[in-house]
Amino acid sequence: TVVRVDKDEVLVDIGYKSEGVIPVSELSIRRSVNPADEVSLGEEIDALVMQKEDAEGRLILSKKRARFELAWKAIEAAAESGEAVNGRVIEVVKGGLILDLGVRGFLPASLVDIRRVQDLEEFTGKELRCKVIELNRSRNNVVLSRRAVLEDERKEMRQAILDRLNPGDVVDGQISNIVDFGAFVDLEGMDGLIHISELSWSHVNHPSEVVSIGDDVRIKVLDIDRDRQRISLGRKQTQEDPW
């Protein structure tokens, strides 16, 4: 139990003949912390005994190492089962993000999202759900992937969309990408394709002539390939045939 919080150490009562001392460097895996932000008076915390008695006969304890030991067990279990872990972003480093899992976890920039992220700073302080893809206890190395979690969620969403839609349905979506042969429409989590020939009743040289990324469109479901998870859409079918 925390009995005193000073600027360079925290005193705790562990029911021993003398109080335990946690130096500020042993409070958290974050760099330079204020003890008052990490613990509060009367709070019960886990601590690991580092030294039975220092020169003054005091017990030296570590909060960060106790959390580290408990965190490793949880991370190892998650890595084995494929379960996701939650961690808060505490640092933006070259090539990715550092998450606080009780252990420092590295999330490479390429695995932060499904699409490439331009500015990693926007994730600072956010709680992220990730899968453990690499683990090395001897090097205290934990590599994470948030993309794997998002792709799993997307797979479930895609399946739900495929189960819900049928050829002939008229739905609303948003243009998510434009290519030479057509335009992709985001159907709330899954992209369907409007082939260039299905965009307009009149001749179209390039899809960008009739639609732009971000446009809201009303489209008709022409065909669904459930095995390959592909949806063919038509835009002209929702408009009057001028001919």
Side-chain angles (χ1 to χ4, degrees):
T1 307
V2 177
V3 291
R4 202 170 89 206
V5 181
D6 292 333
K7 69 174 190 299
D8 56 354
E9 63 183 26
V10 170
L11 291 188
V12 291
D13 176 12
I14 63 163
Y16 191 64
K17 60 185 179 195
S18 58
E19 282 166 343
V21 179
I22 305 175
V24 67
S25 60
E26 293 299 326
L27 279 172
S28 170
I29 60 170
R30 296 165 195 251
R31 312 203 193 283
S32 64
V33 295
N34 175 5
D37 294 338
E38 292 296 319
V39 294
S40 47
L41 278 176
E43 185 186 351
E44 280 203 1
I45 59 171
D46 289 312
L48 185 98
V49 179
M50 288 170 59
Q51 205 177 326
K52 196 116 185 245
E53 282 174 0
D54 68 352
E56 295 160 44
R58 307 183 306 171
L59 271 169
I60 304 297
L61 309 172
S62 172
K63 175 176 180 278
K64 92 177 170 190
R65 287 171 210 235
R67 188 163 170 244
F68 184 91
E69 289 300 327
L70 295 168
W72 258 107
K73 284 180 186 146
I75 290 165
E76 281 172 343
E80 213 168 290
S81 67
E83 285 289 307
V85 293
N86 291 321
R88 194 170 295 281
V89 178
I90 54 171
E91 241 175 277
V92 177
V93 292
K94 191 176 184 295
L97 302 169
I98 299 293
L99 271 67
D100 178 2
L101 308 165
V103 173
R104 288 168 73 84
F106 176 60
L107 173 56
S110 60
L111 300 179
V112 171
D113 210 326
I114 291 170
R115 293 191 173 96
R116 182 138 188 86
V117 177
Q118 297 303 321
D119 183 17
L120 289 174
E121 293 289 345
E122 65 185 73
F123 290 96
T124 304
K126 285 192 177 168
E127 180 107 356
L128 301 182
R129 194 161 171 74
C130 304
K131 282 200 173 184
V132 180
I133 57 168
E134 216 176 288
L135 203 55
N136 186 319
R137 178 72 205 246
S138 60
R139 299 211 324 265
N140 290 337
N141 195 20
V142 181
V143 182
L144 305 165
S145 171
R146 177 169 173 260
R147 193 166 95 186
V149 171
L150 297 176
E151 281 172 347
D152 281 354
E153 287 171 0
R154 230 179 163 160
K155 218 177 274 174
E156 287 171 21
M157 279 168 73
R158 273 207 296 264
Q159 198 51 56
I161 291 165
L162 287 166
D163 292 345
R164 191 178 75 226
L165 291 180
N166 291 296
D169 288 353
V170 173
V171 293
D172 294 312
Q174 193 176 63
I175 302 291
S176 59
N177 197 15
I178 291 173
V179 289
D180 290 344
F181 56 84
F184 286 98
V185 179
D186 182 3
L187 303 167
E188 291 181 355
M190 180 179 184
D191 282 355
L193 174 70
I194 311 173
H195 189 267
I196 190 166
S197 61
E198 305 294 350
L199 275 168
S200 173
W201 289 108
S202 51
H203 178 71
V204 178
N205 289 311
H206 194 271
S208 57
E209 293 172 11
V210 286
V211 289
S212 303
I213 290 174
D215 283 358
D216 291 321
V217 286
R218 173 149 280 209
I219 58 263
K220 187 172 190 175
V221 179
L222 304 180
D223 187 41
I224 299 176
D225 184 336
R226 296 184 195 279
D227 294 333
R228 289 161 73 199
Q229 293 202 329
R230 287 189 182 167
I231 302 174
S232 301
L233 304 166
R235 176 175 172 264
K236 70 182 185 186
Q237 288 78 358
T238 64
Q239 298 164 344
E240 211 174 312
D241 182 349
W243 316 114

